[in-house]
Amino acid sequence: MAEYKHAKYLHKDDEVRLFPGDEVEDALADGWEFPKFPRSNGEEWNPEVPDDEVSAADAAAEVLKANRARQEKLDAKDAKTVASEQAKADKQKK
């Protein structure tokens, strides 16, 4: 069984963003880094999570991934609709 990769908060250019566990390595390679400062409430951004537990960040990252996939489907559907309408308009001009 593959090792579960926990979601992590990363920092770049005055922005902190949550990355799903399977995207953390790519984000680090892209210049993101682990925050070197605490949250506004004084807690760490990425506290240790036991291997057999899921953190709130993990759950939030799964929601982010699901929303991203949903938005990609909607965007593809919109692009298809626009292309179809454009083809109809082009056909009517002829």
Side-chain angles (χ1 to χ4, degrees):
M1 188 168 110
E3 179 182 336
Y4 182 78
K5 296 181 179 181
H6 290 284
K8 300 291 181 189
Y9 287 96
L10 301 177
H11 172 263
K12 178 180 177 182
D13 300 331
D14 296 328
E15 177 184 5
V16 176
R17 188 183 302 170
L18 178 63
F19 287 88
D22 58 349
E23 297 176 13
V24 171
E25 287 181 22
D26 290 339
L28 290 170
D30 193 33
W32 289 84
E33 57 187 34
F34 291 101
K36 296 177 175 81
F37 51 89
R39 292 175 155 212
S40 60
N41 63 3
E43 294 180 3
E44 293 181 40
W45 282 97
N46 298 303
E48 278 299 314
V49 178
D51 290 336
D52 61 344
E53 291 184 15
V54 175
S55 69
D58 293 326
E62 289 301 318
V63 170
L64 279 172
K65 285 174 69 172
N67 286 341
R68 189 184 313 147
R70 179 179 171 271
Q71 188 62 49
E72 287 172 0
K73 286 182 181 179
L74 290 173
D75 291 346
K77 183 178 178 183
D78 288 346
K80 191 175 185 179
T81 301
V82 168
S84 176
E85 290 173 358
Q86 184 63 40
K88 285 180 186 177
D90 290 345
K91 189 175 182 180
Q92 288 179 350
K93 287 181 182 178
K94 292 182 179 181

